[in-house]
Amino acid sequence: MKVNDVTTYEVEGPVAVVTLNSPPVNALSAAVRQGIADGLKMALEDDDVRAMVLICEGRTFFAGADITEFGKPTVDPSLRDLQLMVENAAKPVIATIHGTALGGGLELALVAHYRIAVPSAKCGLPEVNLGLLPGAGGTQRLPRIVGIPKALDLITSGAPVSAKAAKDMGLVDELAAEGHLRADAIAFANRVIDENRPLLKVRDRAEKLDEARGKPEIFADFRKANARRFRGFKAPEAIIRCIEATLEDKSFDEGMAFERALFIELQADSQSAAQRHIFFAERQAGKIVGIPADTPILPIRKVGVIGAGTMGGGIAMSFANAGIPVTLVDTSDDALSRGLRIIRGNYEATAKKGRMKAEDVDARMALLTGSVRMEDLSDCDLIIEAVFEQMEIKQEVFAKLDRIAKPGAILATNTSYLDLDEIASATSRPTSVVGLHFFSPAHVMKLLEVVRGKETRADIIATSMKLAKTLGKIGVLVGNAFGFVGNRILAARDAQANRLILEGATPEAVDKVLYDFGFPMGHFQMRDLVGLDVGWNREKSSSSTVREILNEMGRHGQKVGGGFYDYDESRNRKPSPVVQKVIEDFAAKQGIVRRELGDAEIRDRILYAMVNEGAKLLDEGIASRASDIDVILITGYGWPKYEGGPMFWADLQGMPQVIEKLNSLQAEYGDAFVPSPLIKRLASEGKGFRDA
Ligand code: 3HC
C-alpha cells in the first residue's frame, strides 16, 4: 500500500516491510525522513505486526543526508528525531542494506536493532570527504560496535567497507543472499520474533570501548601516523576528538551533544563549503556541454600505448588496472623491457604494501604485451601516444598511425602543451583525434583532461569521458589551447614564482608560502621533482632563464642531486648557495633591484595570477565551467581540497576584492594582472564565478 510519494507499506505475516524510494540515491531529504516516520508509525500502530523491515528500492540504501539541504532551515522530522523513533521503537527494526549505506544512511542503520546486508553492499561514513563529521551519532555509535581503532580508521578515511568486512567487525548482523534481500530480511525478522531476541541498542554497548580504556596512546599514535594526510583539514581532528569523548566521563547523550556541537561548527566552516562544492563539481564535470546524452559510446576492448617511459607505462597500468589489454610499443627491446620491468616493480611494491593481491601482479602483467612494431596496433580500438613532447615527432607518429590504425579507432595524444589540431592535421582522420592528458604518475593521479580538437567527433568525446570513469578517473573536457587548462594556470604560477625569486624571495620562501596554503609541496620543489629538463632543449638553450642556466649546469632536479635545491642521497632537500648566486647574478643582469618580499605579497601574486588565468580560460571557452577549473587544480595540481579550487577561493574573497587586488597588483607588477574581461563583468553585475 502506498503511504505517500516515497513510501510503501506491506505486511507479511507478523513483519511489516517499509519501503522507501527516492531516486537517485535515497538521500535522507525531508520527504524521505517523513516517509520513514509515516511507515514506522503505521507498523507500530498495527497490532498484527511484531517486527519491521526498513528497505529501499532503486540502486541503494540511504546514501546519507541530503547534501543539497545543508545551509537551509531543518524541516521536521530531523534525522535525530527519526533516529530516536527507530531506536526507541517497541518492536524490532531491521535495517536492510543494498548498494551503499553511507553517512546519515548508515547512522540510521546504527539505530536499528539489527542490520542485514547483501554481500555486494558497502557501508561507510564518508562525511570527512565533505569536511564534516558524522553528525547523527556515527562517532558515538560506531566505536561501540566496531571498537575504537577501526572507528578511527573508518571515519577519518571515509572509505566504505564491504558487507563481508562489516559482518566480520560486527557492524552487520547477517548477510543475505544476493538478489534475495527482501525475502531474507523478512526471514531474519521472523527469527528475531521467534527467538524473542532483544531490542538491541548500540548506544548501550560498552564492551568494545572497554578494550581501549587506559590506552590513550591509541589516539596519540593515530594522530602521529596520519599527520601528513590530515594536514590543514579540520574535520579529521574533530572526528578524533568525538571518538575520544566516548571514553571520557560523559554519558552517551553528552557524547551526542558534543558531536552535534562540532558538527555544527564544521558545517558552517568554509572548508566544508569547499569540499561540498568539489563533490558536486566532480559530478558536474561528467556532464558534457553541447553533446547529446544519447551519443553512442564506442567499445574500448583493446588499447595501444606508444612510449614505454614513465608516462606511457603509467597509462598502460591504468588500463591493465581496469582489466583492458594493452599493447605497449617502444622503439627498442631495451626500452620496452625496462618499461615493463618498472611496471612489474610498481605492482610488486603495491602488493607488498598489501594494497593488491600477490597473484594479481601476474594477472595484470598478463594484460600487457610489449612490441617494437607500431603495426601491432592495427587491431586496437584506442591508441594513445606518449612520446617525446615535440611537434615533429608527434606528427610523424600520427602520420604513421593513420596508415596502421583500423577504421573507427580513436587516436589520442597525451601531449601536455602542444596544439592538438596541428597534431591531428598529420592524419587523414582529424575527427577521430582527441587529447587524453594523463598526469604523472598516470596510474595514481585521478585527473584526465580530455582535449577537444576543432574537428573531434561527439562520439569520440563521449567515449573518452566515459573511459575516464572506467579507469576510475575524473574526466574534464577542455578546449585546445597552449597547456589546455591545468598547465596554462601552472604557467601563470610559474611566471610569478620565477619573477619573485629574481625580485628577492628565495625559492624556499616561495615554496613555504604555497605549502602553508595547503599545497603538498612548493613550486620549485615540484619543478625539481618533475625534472627541470622536461621540455628543455639543450641545442636551443641560451641562458635566458634561471631554469635554462640550471639545466646548462647539469642541475636537472632531484634525480641528479641538484635543481633549485641541493639533495642528499636520501633526497632530503636544502637551499643551494650556488643557485642563490645564479639567481642574484641573473637578476643583476636583468637590472632587477632585489628587495625583501613578505609572505602576503608572495601569496597574493601567485594565487591571483592563477585566478586571473582561470578567468581568461573561461572567457575563451577553453574551460566550460569555473567548477571544472577547480576540479582540475585539485585533482591534478595539489590545490588544497579544503580551499575548493582557485575559482571557489576567489568567490569566497568576493569579486570586488578580486578586482581590487588585481588592479593594485597590475599597478605594481604589470600586465600579468590586467583583470580578465570576465572578472570585470562579474564584478560589475555583483556576481561571482559560481554564476559564470
Ligand atoms: N545528497 C544529495 N544528493 C546526492 C547525495 C546526497 N547525499 N549523494 C549523491 N547525490 C546525487 C549526486 O549529486 C548525483 O546527482 P546528479 O545526478 O544530479 O549529478 C546523484 O545523486 C548520483 O550520484 P553519483 O553520480 O555520485 O552516483 P554513483 O552511483 O556514482 O554514487 C554514491 C552513488 C556512492 C551514493 C555517491 O553519490 C556518494 O558517495 N554520495 C555521497 C554520500 C555521502 O557523502 N553521504 C554523507 C552525506 S553527509 C551526512 O550524511 C551527514 C550526516 O552525518 C548527518
Side-chain angles (χ1 to χ4, degrees):
M1 154 195 185
K2 207 156 169 56
V3 181
N4 52 38
D5 283 351
V6 293
T7 318
T8 47
Y9 180 81
E10 294 146 298
V11 178
E12 300 218 1
V15 179
V17 180
V18 176
T19 307
L20 271 292
N21 185 15
S22 176
V25 295
N26 289 310
L28 288 158
S29 61
V32 170
R33 297 194 301 272
Q34 188 61 54
I36 299 170
D38 290 348
L40 289 183
K41 191 157 172 286
M42 285 178 76
L44 288 169
E45 287 170 358
D46 190 335
D47 288 339
D48 295 333
V49 166
R50 295 179 55 204
M52 299 165 267
V53 162
L54 179 60
I55 191 168
C56 289
E57 254 175 45
R59 66 205 224 211
T60 180
F61 190 72
F62 308 108
D66 184 339
I67 310 168
T68 60
E69 285 184 355
F70 286 4
K72 299 179 188 158
T74 311
V75 176
D76 286 338
S78 70
L79 181 52
R80 283 199 171 203
D81 289 344
L82 187 64
Q83 286 179 303
L84 285 178
M85 181 178 175
V86 173
E87 195 165 48
N88 296 327
K91 303 172 185 178
V93 178
I94 290 114
T96 304
I97 302 170
H98 76 292
T100 42
L102 296 179
L106 181 60
E107 290 170 294
L108 186 61
L110 279 169
V111 294
H113 306 102
Y114 297 96
R115 287 154 292 280
I116 178 169
V118 277
S120 60
K122 291 206 163 100
C123 297
L125 292 171
E127 286 88 341
V128 70
N129 298 325
L130 302 170
L132 296 170
L133 54 74
T139 66
Q140 304 302 294
R141 288 193 180 87
L142 195 71
R144 285 176 161 81
I145 201 164
V146 304
I148 298 275
K150 283 207 175 72
L152 281 169
D153 266 344
L154 280 173
I155 310 181
T156 59
S157 74
V161 292
S162 68
K164 164 93 177 45
K167 169 94 173 26
D168 290 345
M169 62 176 83
L171 177 55
V172 160
D173 301 288
E174 185 98 354
L175 288 182
E178 206 67 59
H180 295 91
L181 182 60
R182 189 176 183 280
D184 283 1
I186 293 171
F188 179 68
N190 274 300
R191 279 209 305 285
V192 170
I193 297 168
D194 296 343
E195 294 166 13
N196 215 4
R197 292 205 206 170
L199 292 164
L200 279 183
K201 292 185 187 174
V202 174
R203 59 176 281 154
D204 296 334
R205 293 167 64 170
E207 66 283 3
K208 286 278 169 73
L209 296 186
D210 291 341
E211 290 168 10
R213 276 188 213 286
K215 296 181 189 159
E217 69 277 7
I218 295 181
F219 297 98
D221 292 349
F222 188 76
R223 281 188 172 96
K224 207 165 143 210
N226 292 287
R228 218 171 113 195
R229 192 156 61 93
F230 297 160
R231 186 176 73 94
F233 287 93
K234 293 180 183 168
E237 177 56 24
I239 289 167
I240 299 172
R241 281 172 59 205
C242 286
I243 298 178
E244 264 175 330
T246 61
L247 295 182
E248 287 163 10
D249 198 13
K250 280 190 172 79
S251 68
F252 178 81
D253 290 330
E254 283 166 340
M256 289 292 285
F258 184 67
E259 179 196 89
R260 181 84 196 139
L262 290 195
F263 178 82
I264 289 170
E265 230 174 77
L266 289 176
Q267 201 185 19
D269 197 279
S270 65
Q271 286 205 349
S272 176
Q275 291 180 245
R276 279 180 269 141
H277 160 73
I278 287 301
F279 175 84
F280 289 114
E282 285 181 354
R283 280 150 183 85
Q284 191 73 9
K287 296 175 182 135
I288 320 168
V289 181
I291 291 185
D294 59 356
T295 305
I297 304 292
L298 308 170
I300 306 287
R301 297 192 195 95
K302 192 162 181 225
V303 171
V305 175
I306 306 174
T310 311
M311 205 64 210
I315 295 173
M317 284 175 79
S318 298
F319 283 94
N321 294 348
I324 301 173
V326 179
T327 301
L328 188 58
V329 171
D330 211 315
T331 45
S332 72
D333 284 324
D334 269 4
L336 260 186
S337 54
R338 188 173 166 276
L340 288 167
R341 210 173 41 243
I342 291 173
I343 294 177
R344 179 176 279 280
N346 284 339
Y347 280 138
E348 280 170 353
T350 309
K352 227 185 211 154
K353 286 185 205 146
R355 288 204 229 117
M356 126 183 215
K357 290 193 204 134
E359 61 264 34
D360 286 348
V361 174
D362 285 336
R364 302 259 167 110
M365 289 309 293
L367 288 168
L368 303 173
T369 312
S371 169
V372 288
R373 287 166 28 91
M374 243 156 80
E375 288 71 16
D376 287 342
L377 303 178
S378 61
D379 61 344
C380 289
D381 303 305
L382 161 70
I383 303 169
I384 306 172
E385 149 295 301
V387 301
F388 205 65
E389 188 76 349
Q390 246 178 45
M391 184 54 82
E392 307 80 68
I393 302 180
K394 302 259 186 207
Q395 284 196 325
E396 207 175 290
V397 167
F398 270 78
K400 194 159 178 203
L401 275 184
D402 193 27
R403 294 193 291 276
I404 292 166
K406 69 179 182 186
I410 301 178
L411 306 183
T413 169
N414 178 54
T415 180
S416 342
Y417 288 98
L418 299 177
D419 183 344
L420 177 67
D421 295 327
E422 213 179 319
I423 296 175
S425 72
T427 73
S428 63
R429 39 175 144 172
T431 57
S432 297
V433 178
V434 70
L436 292 180
H437 183 205
F438 289 80
F439 290 75
S440 190
H443 58 293
V444 177
M445 296 291 284
K446 285 243 163 228
L447 178 62
L448 181 68
E449 274 185 332
V450 174
V451 190
R452 172 190 213 157
K454 68 172 187 284
E455 295 193 57
T456 315
R457 259 186 0 243
D459 57 346
I460 304 278
I461 293 168
T463 303
S464 300
M465 292 296 283
K466 171 81 187 344
L467 180 70
K469 267 201 172 163
T470 310
L471 300 182
K473 299 196 185 293
I474 296 171
V476 185
L477 184 62
V478 298
N480 179 29
F482 172 81
F484 315 118
V485 170
N487 278 344
R488 213 173 105 180
I489 295 180
L490 186 68
R493 180 175 101 171
D494 194 48
Q496 282 311 308
N498 287 326
R499 185 73 203 173
L500 284 162
I501 56 172
L502 294 179
E503 287 177 23
T506 59
E508 310 82 89
V510 173
D511 281 358
K512 184 169 180 317
V513 166
L514 289 176
Y515 180 79
D516 289 348
F517 181 71
F519 282 94
M521 66 178 81
H523 185 80
F524 295 104
Q525 233 183 310
M526 191 267 283
R527 282 274 175 241
D528 275 358
L529 184 67
V530 173
L532 298 187
D533 53 342
V534 173
W536 173 67
N537 190 322
R538 192 180 296 273
E539 283 76 50
K540 292 187 186 155
S541 192
S542 59
S543 308
S544 70
T545 60
V546 170
R547 188 181 135 221
E548 278 196 344
I549 299 171
L550 295 182
N551 269 316
E552 289 158 16
M553 293 164 73
R555 297 186 68 99
H556 302 309
Q558 204 187 84
K559 59 190 170 192
V560 294
F564 280 97
Y565 291 93
D566 287 335
Y567 296 87
D568 64 19
E569 314 73 55
S570 319
R571 303 202 160 189
N572 292 316
R573 141 185 74 92
K574 61 177 191 312
S576 163
V578 174
V579 172
Q580 194 54 31
K581 174 97 179 30
V582 168
I583 294 170
E584 284 169 18
D585 289 351
F586 189 78
K589 235 170 74 187
Q590 302 273 306
I592 298 168
V593 182
R594 289 173 64 81
R595 62 189 167 92
E596 289 256 320
L597 279 96
D599 287 355
E601 179 183 341
I602 295 174
R603 195 181 104 132
D604 280 357
R605 282 174 63 178
I606 288 190
L607 299 188
Y608 282 100
M610 293 171 84
V611 169
N612 204 25
E613 201 61 35
K616 288 178 193 165
L617 285 160
L618 264 177
D619 239 357
E620 293 164 22
I622 302 301
S624 326
R625 314 175 180 95
S627 61
D628 283 359
I629 298 176
D630 290 338
V631 171
I632 288 173
L633 266 289
I634 283 180
T635 49
Y637 295 84
W639 183 286
K641 199 172 171 192
Y642 53 77
E643 293 288 358
M647 312 321 268
F648 179 87
W649 180 83
D651 272 351
L652 269 193
Q653 317 304 307
M655 220 36 76
Q657 149 93 359
V658 171
I659 206 145
E660 197 188 306
K661 275 277 179 197
L662 284 171
N663 283 337
S664 69
L665 288 168
Q666 183 198 350
E668 290 267 347
Y669 310 110
D671 288 355
F673 294 101
V674 175
S676 87
L678 175 66
I679 292 183
K680 286 190 187 152
R681 182 166 60 75
L682 290 174
S684 72
E685 291 170 359
K687 290 181 177 167
F689 288 123
R690 72 182 79 80
D691 315 300

